[in-house]
Amino acid sequence: MDRSFALLPGALNAGFVDELYQRYLQDPGSVGADWRAYFDGLDGAVGADGTARKDHVNGTPAAAPAAHVQSREADAAILQNRVSQLVRAYRVRGHMLARLDPLGFDTRGTFPDLDPAYYGFTETDFDRPVPKGTIAGDGIETVRDVLQRLQNTYCRSIGVQFMHINEMRVREWLQERMESTENRLRLDRREQLRILTRLTDAVIFEEFIQQKYVGAKSFSLEGAESLIPLLDLTIEKAGEQGIVEIVMAMAHRGRLNVLANILGKHPDEIFREFEDVDPHLFLGRGDVKYHLGYSSDWTTAHGESVHLSLSFNPSHLEFVNPVALGRLRAKQDRVGGTRGKRSMALLIHGDASFAGEGVIQEILNLSELEGYTVGGTLHVIVNNQVGFTTSPGEGRSTTYASDVARMLQSPIFHVNGEDPEAVAQVMRLAMDFRYEFARDIVVDMYCYRRRGHNEGDEPSFTQPLLYDAIRQRKPVREAYLEHLLDLGGVTRAEAEEIVRARQERLDTALRAARRDDYERPTEERKGVWSGYVGGSKENADSIETSVPSDRLVEYLHAITRLPERFNLHPRLDRFRQARLDMAKGARAVDWSTAEALAFASLAVEGCRVRLTGQDSERGTFSQRHAVLHDVKDDQRYAPLQHVHPDQAPVEVYNSPLSETSVLGFDYGYSLDYPDGLVLWEAQFGDFVNVAQVMIDQFLASAEEKWNRLSGMVLLLPHGFEGQGPEHASARVERFLSLAAEDNLQVAMPSTPSQYFHLLRRQALRRWRKPLIVFTPKSLLRHSKVASSLQEMSSGGFQSVIGDPLVAHGINRVLLCTGKIYYELLEQREALERQDVAIIRVEELYPMDEAAIRAELNRYPDAELCWVQEEPANMGVWPYLSYKFNARFGDRELRRVSRPESASTATGSLSSHRQEQERLCREAFDLEPER
């Protein structure tokens, strides 16, 4: 393509004009009068080969089309168009040329569209003037100035991805902030000295650990020491912006350094953990030192106080993040106000885990959703450029570890961690963006991991070239000190004094940690957790859970009341009318109404209720209808929010199609809202297995590992109804296998009133344990699964429900739980068997053995059978076999169940019915029908 045509306005690209010119040469009449006149005017400017002569490139055509080219004005417009294309190219892809990798391994090739020649620029063009406003900043007069500004802004130690953001105002805000400063923060001596001090803190701590505890696992921060000044600058900026609380989360890499130098955990506490001289305190409990959390108060240079909380974390990388976000949301809900203006989350990630762990995509997806937003989270990726022994090319299919974050309308900053002043610029800009737009933001700090995955690991087995380069690399503190010495702002004597003071502090702490009379700090529950207890079930307090009938009637009327001119769906009007009938006593209370009454009564008593899950507003089985929609304008109305003027909130949210992050978020919420009822509901109970990490690593073990209590409630629809293997079992056996030392409550209530009392008990008593509730599906509308208002206005939750049959003549006792009870009852009625009693075990853990024995003692000569729908290797039976050796006292317990199976259930409805019939007949000692 001839470059002379590249000078035409942008709308007339060179290829288009070249095509017109070829058509003109073949048939002058084919291009229109204006273009024909233009090409005719090239007489003398066209060479023998038919192309425009070089000496005519910057000249003025004799007769250009009047609509598109106006002599010199057109030439200026052409230049401006090319400059604009160049500017956009740098804004879009300038990060690809940025010098991000301290080791120089990250080579990403060449990019023609970042070369001015791609747009037709020649050396003579660089000194041509450009209009004001072409790019942000002062002193921009020529094309050369523009190019220099672009390279300084986007191609030095900072690379930015932001042109994927749809809103122009956001892009322009970023462009102005970055281009006007060339993405470089001007630091005074005090700020430079502070960065040097924080780098020294990081380096000296790691060196001290390596010297005193040779080979001990500490998951060193070496190679990424800039994280400490990064966090320091962030917290200082947060204080300036009015932030009073930061919830943090991170994995084990560098965690001890952050605990010591940011959270303010006393070094003697950390060293005592390395010494490991108190084994009697941790038999069967506790956690490794680099998983522990901590809280403290930070006072900024200007005197503001910022409370810091670092969440406890298991080795499952990134799974703590939704927990931290849930904690922050609870704190925000408690105090009210604009989200993100008084508190924020700061999440620290590894590069391999940010790219590889799906929970990252899930929490990013939560960030703008009504039920989960926290007003903008700061994500910091400590980019070691390796994951354990896996290189980036083996661990992700993307250019950057952060690329999943491009799903958000937020910028991603990449920064060279060996340029602390570039890190400072990025953090200040990131914090300002979060404050301005209340959105998540990502900072990807390139660094390296000086040692292996842990201190006993040899990294050069798998990354020999990488670690050869790392061994030759001086620590970032040394490089930054040399930079400051060259500037003359800091003396070597000052730097050495900082080192001496830090070394002396650590030596003193080590001596204290090794004293025989060392006293560990004691932790007591304060603040919102004051008065709540965990421990064994003997600590569980008895609480009144009944509600007077007249109040229940009031609540029923309140939750059936609609706004004026609200157009309810006709079928839901029947739903509403049914509840009015319940208020009159003309109809028994069903499951969903009992739940609504529990929520309403708790809210009126000042207890906040939060329920989330997939389709939880309506309910998977169209049973709840907590949020109503006007059929004409889709106006939303939540009756439970309007029970009483002074009630606490009742919030029911549809969650995204995620189990792991949503359960984690609400678990985190329960950690900072013990005085509320926090529930997560699975669409079908089977889907809880997708969140198994949250159950194993947090719900079941957090009290044992970290002394952290939770009153989280899981609602898991469970029951065999012929809907297939993935819609039958919430895996009762898995929860019972995790149950030990009274760490969980596992229940399968069989009546609405039982469910009502169970929920209220969970919210009102001071004993705090996670509660797993196996809820019904088909029983939601079963005629016999109903309760009277009287059953909710008196009594309480019964861990065991006996049979009203008299003891005389009973020769068999069937123990069961959940849905199978109603099928056994129907079978007994059909057979007219009065010699078989049926006992319901409603609370599976902690199992009330005394209550069970009391019921069994009514039938001392009867045979005992445990009946369950689940296969023999699932359900409650494995727990009974293990815990009680399939016996109650001296009486053997026989099993009636499906045979053991690799899958939970059949996919055939006909097969299911045959299996269910066979099971019920066997329970009554009948031969199954063939």
Side-chain angles (χ1 to χ4, degrees):
M1 184 188 304
D2 183 75
R3 288 196 181 276
S4 64
F5 293 135
L7 292 175
L8 290 166
L12 310 175
N13 68 67
F16 170 71
V17 178
D18 194 50
E19 181 181 348
L20 283 180
Y21 185 67
Q22 297 304 320
R23 287 168 55 189
Y24 162 81
L25 292 176
Q26 296 176 17
D27 179 9
S30 66
V31 297
D34 286 344
W35 282 109
R36 187 166 61 252
Y38 171 66
F39 291 133
D40 287 345
L42 293 177
D43 183 39
V46 180
D49 60 353
T51 59
R53 289 208 317 264
K54 183 72 176 176
D55 59 8
H56 190 73
V57 165
N58 292 318
T60 302
H68 302 289
V69 183
Q70 294 295 325
S71 191
R72 295 184 182 277
E73 291 82 359
D75 188 49
I78 293 166
L79 176 67
Q80 181 58 39
N81 180 65
R82 289 190 293 154
V83 171
S84 296
Q85 292 183 60
L86 182 65
V87 169
R88 177 173 175 78
Y90 269 84
R91 288 170 177 168
V92 173
R93 277 182 293 282
H95 57 87
M96 299 300 290
L97 296 183
R99 299 185 293 276
L100 302 176
D101 181 6
L103 302 174
F105 278 82
D106 184 22
T107 56
R108 285 170 280 180
T110 59
F111 302 91
D113 57 339
L114 297 177
D115 183 350
Y118 181 82
Y119 304 97
F121 286 104
T122 64
E123 187 62 34
T124 58
D125 290 322
F126 290 140
D127 293 317
R128 295 179 66 183
V130 294
K132 296 292 184 183
T134 297
I135 189 172
D138 298 327
I140 305 298
E141 297 179 354
T142 66
V143 173
R144 193 181 306 278
D145 296 332
V146 171
L147 183 60
Q148 189 63 57
R149 178 63 58 96
L150 291 170
Q151 292 173 341
N152 288 348
T153 301
Y154 298 113
C155 305
R156 290 193 291 184
S157 295
I158 299 172
V160 192
Q161 293 175 281
F162 70 102
M163 292 297 281
H164 59 279
I165 299 173
N166 293 329
E167 297 152 271
M168 182 180 293
R169 70 181 182 94
V170 179
R171 296 198 306 270
E172 289 179 345
W173 186 92
L174 287 162
Q175 288 163 193
E176 171 63 32
R177 289 293 303 270
M178 294 186 293
E179 293 167 1
S180 63
T181 62
E182 296 187 334
N183 248 343
R184 179 64 64 173
L185 189 63
R186 311 300 177 199
L187 300 175
D188 59 27
R189 180 183 184 279
R190 178 186 61 81
E191 292 169 318
Q192 291 173 331
L193 192 59
R194 185 178 184 108
I195 290 175
L196 178 64
T197 300
R198 302 309 264 151
L199 285 172
T200 304
D201 288 338
V203 169
I204 296 302
F205 179 84
E206 296 297 351
E207 290 179 350
F208 192 90
I209 293 292
Q210 302 307 321
Q211 293 167 4
K212 303 301 182 182
Y213 300 101
V214 178
K217 286 185 181 181
S218 66
F219 295 96
S220 160
L221 187 63
E222 291 168 287
E225 292 94 340
S226 288
L227 178 65
I228 300 304
L230 179 156
L231 296 175
D232 176 279
L233 293 163
T234 299
I235 299 167
E236 289 290 310
K237 183 66 173 177
E240 292 176 20
Q241 294 176 337
I243 298 292
V244 298
E245 184 155 19
I246 300 176
V247 177
M248 301 171 62
M250 68 181 299
H252 45 268
R253 176 76 53 211
R255 190 182 186 93
L256 295 179
N257 208 312
V258 171
L259 282 167
N261 290 314
I262 298 298
L263 273 295
K265 184 173 182 178
H266 295 295
D268 57 291
E269 293 182 57
I270 297 174
F271 298 153
R272 187 72 174 185
E273 291 161 0
F274 272 101
E275 296 290 321
D276 198 15
V277 292
D278 304 308
H280 60 287
L281 298 177
F282 302 102
L283 292 173
R285 59 188 305 112
D287 201 353
V288 291
K289 49 193 165 290
Y290 37 79
H291 288 172
L292 302 181
Y294 201 77
S295 296
S296 64
D297 292 312
W298 175 292
T299 302
T300 71
H302 298 290
E304 300 99 351
S305 180
V306 182
H307 185 70
L308 307 178
S309 299
L310 179 62
S311 299
F312 291 80
N313 186 72
S315 279
H316 290 65
L317 304 178
E318 307 296 347
F319 282 83
V320 70
N321 293 308
V323 176
L325 294 174
R327 290 188 60 199
L328 178 61
R329 175 63 180 251
K331 293 173 184 290
Q332 293 175 344
D333 283 352
R334 186 178 293 281
V335 300
T338 305
R339 297 199 190 282
K341 296 301 184 185
R342 300 287 290 167
S343 57
M344 63 172 283
L346 198 170
L347 307 181
I348 303 168
H349 314 273
D351 52 317
S353 57
F354 196 89
E357 295 284 4
V359 71
I360 291 297
Q361 184 274 338
E362 293 187 19
I363 64 169
L364 296 175
N365 188 47
L366 293 180
S367 66
E368 296 294 318
L369 302 181
E370 179 187 358
Y372 309 92
T373 184
V374 294
T377 295
L378 176 61
H379 300 269
V380 176
I381 301 174
V382 179
N383 195 333
N384 291 306
Q385 306 186 75
V386 65
F388 200 165
T389 66
T390 302
S391 66
E394 298 167 308
R396 65 175 189 259
S397 298
T398 59
T399 301
Y400 294 110
S402 59
D403 277 347
V404 66
R406 292 186 66 188
M407 65 186 285
L408 298 182
Q409 295 291 295
S410 299
I412 301 169
F413 293 102
H414 308 279
V415 61
N416 189 322
E418 285 205 342
D419 187 341
E421 295 187 3
V423 171
Q425 158 68 5
V426 161
M427 296 318 299
R428 183 166 297 185
L429 183 54
M431 287 294 288
D432 285 345
F433 179 90
R434 193 207 69 86
Y435 188 84
E436 180 74 19
F437 298 105
R439 299 181 188 177
D440 283 26
I441 190 165
V442 177
V443 174
D444 177 17
M445 187 182 77
Y446 273 68
C447 46
Y448 52 88
R449 187 187 69 194
R450 184 168 291 278
R451 300 180 184 273
H453 175 66
N454 60 60
E455 282 61 33
D457 185 46
E458 177 48 69
S460 63
F461 288 161
T462 51
Q463 276 81 25
L465 299 182
L466 178 68
Y467 275 87
D468 185 55
I470 289 173
R471 278 189 291 271
Q472 300 174 43
R473 198 79 185 166
K474 66 177 66 175
V476 60
R477 176 192 175 275
E478 296 304 314
Y480 188 58
L481 175 58
E482 291 175 5
H483 168 69
L484 296 184
L485 292 173
D486 289 343
L487 293 177
V490 175
T491 67
R492 187 167 291 279
E494 287 177 307
E496 290 174 354
E497 174 57 24
I498 295 170
V499 172
R500 187 200 63 76
R502 268 57 189 171
Q503 186 75 43
E504 183 178 292
R505 176 173 179 263
L506 296 179
D507 283 331
T508 301
L510 182 61
R511 288 193 295 272
R514 289 176 170 172
R515 289 172 59 98
D516 292 336
D517 60 351
Y518 180 85
E519 292 186 13
R520 286 181 170 274
T522 57
E523 183 181 1
E524 60 181 83
R525 294 191 172 90
K526 299 179 291 186
V528 296
W529 277 101
S530 179
Y532 290 95
V533 298
S536 71
K537 62 182 178 182
E538 280 69 33
N539 293 334
D541 47 325
S542 297
I543 195 78
E544 178 64 49
T545 58
S546 62
V547 176
S549 294
D550 57 346
R551 289 190 191 171
L552 294 174
V553 171
E554 288 178 21
Y555 301 153
L556 281 169
H557 282 294
I559 64 176
T560 53
R561 192 179 302 124
L562 296 175
E564 197 173 339
R565 291 186 293 277
F566 189 90
N567 301 287
L568 188 64
H569 193 287
R571 290 177 61 183
L572 289 185
D573 195 53
R574 294 198 294 272
F575 173 83
R576 175 173 169 269
Q577 188 59 51
R579 289 186 167 180
L580 288 173
D581 291 342
M582 295 172 197
K584 297 174 187 175
R587 187 182 186 122
V589 176
D590 61 17
W591 191 274
S592 68
T593 304
E595 178 188 79
L597 288 172
F599 292 169
S601 60
L602 288 169
V604 171
E605 293 168 36
C607 174
R608 188 186 198 109
V609 177
R610 174 185 167 93
L611 166 64
T612 76
Q614 295 158 21
D615 310 291
S616 286
E617 289 183 1
R618 192 202 74 172
T620 298
F621 312 101
S622 197
Q623 85 281 9
R624 182 172 291 121
H625 299 290
V627 179
L628 304 175
H629 295 254
D630 190 300
V631 295
K632 292 188 176 179
D633 61 10
D634 203 26
Q635 174 190 345
R636 293 159 59 90
Y637 178 70
L640 285 166
Q641 290 278 27
H642 304 277
V643 178
H644 190 277
D646 298 322
Q647 71 172 85
V650 178
E651 300 168 314
V652 181
Y653 293 110
N654 285 339
S655 76
L657 200 64
S658 158
E659 288 81 25
T660 296
S661 63
V662 176
L663 175 54
F665 189 100
D666 285 302
Y667 169 76
Y669 196 101
S670 74
L671 295 178
D672 278 85
Y673 225 118
D675 45 336
L677 181 65
V678 183
L679 311 97
W680 173 77
E681 181 177 55
Q683 189 177 69
F684 283 85
D686 313 62
F687 303 164
V688 72
N689 57 16
V690 182
Q692 199 66 43
V693 170
M694 294 301 175
I695 295 162
D696 293 351
Q697 308 305 325
F698 292 95
L699 267 78
S701 58
E703 182 179 358
E704 188 82 344
K705 294 190 297 188
W706 311 316
N707 197 27
R708 285 296 178 268
L709 305 181
S710 167
M712 179 78 192
V713 179
L714 274 60
L715 304 180
L716 309 179
H718 174 86
F720 286 58
E721 286 135 346
Q723 297 188 64
E726 277 72 60
H727 294 85
S729 177
R731 295 290 192 170
V732 179
E733 67 279 0
R734 290 186 182 171
F735 291 96
L736 293 178
S737 72
L738 292 169
E741 300 180 288
D742 298 335
N743 61 330
L744 299 171
Q745 302 168 89
V746 183
M748 197 180 300
S750 60
T751 70
S753 61
Q754 280 281 86
Y755 183 45
F756 171 87
H757 288 296
L758 180 63
L759 292 179
R760 285 183 52 79
R761 187 185 75 170
Q762 179 70 1
L764 296 176
R765 69 180 178 182
R766 312 298 285 179
W767 192 57
R768 276 288 174 263
K769 300 283 177 172
L771 169 63
I772 318 303
V773 185
F774 298 101
T775 57
K777 295 179 288 182
S778 64
L779 297 188
L780 291 170
R781 294 174 177 83
H782 195 290
S783 60
K784 291 188 177 180
V785 184
S787 300
S788 66
L789 289 177
Q790 178 64 31
E791 289 175 287
M792 289 179 277
S793 63
S794 62
F797 178 75
Q798 299 172 264
S799 59
V800 178
I801 300 178
D803 197 313
L805 285 180
V806 295
H808 179 70
I810 299 297
N811 56 40
R812 172 173 291 196
V813 176
L814 306 180
L815 294 99
C816 65
T817 192
K819 166 180 164 286
I820 193 65
Y821 165 75
Y822 292 96
E823 292 168 297
L824 293 174
L825 187 63
E826 183 179 346
Q827 182 82 346
R828 185 172 72 178
E829 292 172 354
L831 295 171
E832 298 182 351
R833 292 284 295 272
Q834 299 299 305
D835 60 333
V836 179
I838 307 174
I839 297 174
R840 285 171 276 177
V841 180
E842 303 276 289
E843 188 163 34
L844 302 173
Y845 190 85
M847 193 171 277
D848 192 340
E849 299 174 45
I852 294 174
R853 287 199 186 95
E855 286 298 325
L856 294 181
N857 287 341
R858 295 176 58 206
Y859 316 106
D861 301 319
E863 176 189 18
L864 306 185
C865 294
W866 177 263
V867 185
Q868 66 178 38
E869 296 185 290
E870 300 86 356
N873 56 319
M874 302 177 194
V876 182
W877 180 253
Y879 175 75
L880 294 175
S881 300
Y882 156 74
K883 185 75 173 178
F884 302 104
N885 197 25
R887 306 180 69 85
F888 274 114
D890 60 353
R891 299 166 71 181
E892 185 178 352
L893 188 63
R894 173 185 160 191
R895 170 183 55 82
V896 177
S897 74
R898 284 173 167 80
E900 68 174 29
S901 173
S903 177
T904 55
T906 176
S908 163
L909 179 58
S910 298
S911 296
H912 161 77
R913 287 172 176 163
Q914 286 185 16
E915 292 174 355
Q916 205 76 352
E917 182 179 349
R918 181 180 293 115
L919 188 150
C920 289
R921 291 180 64 82
E922 185 181 348
F924 289 88
D925 207 16
L926 299 172
E927 285 295 322
E929 291 184 354
R930 300 297 179 187

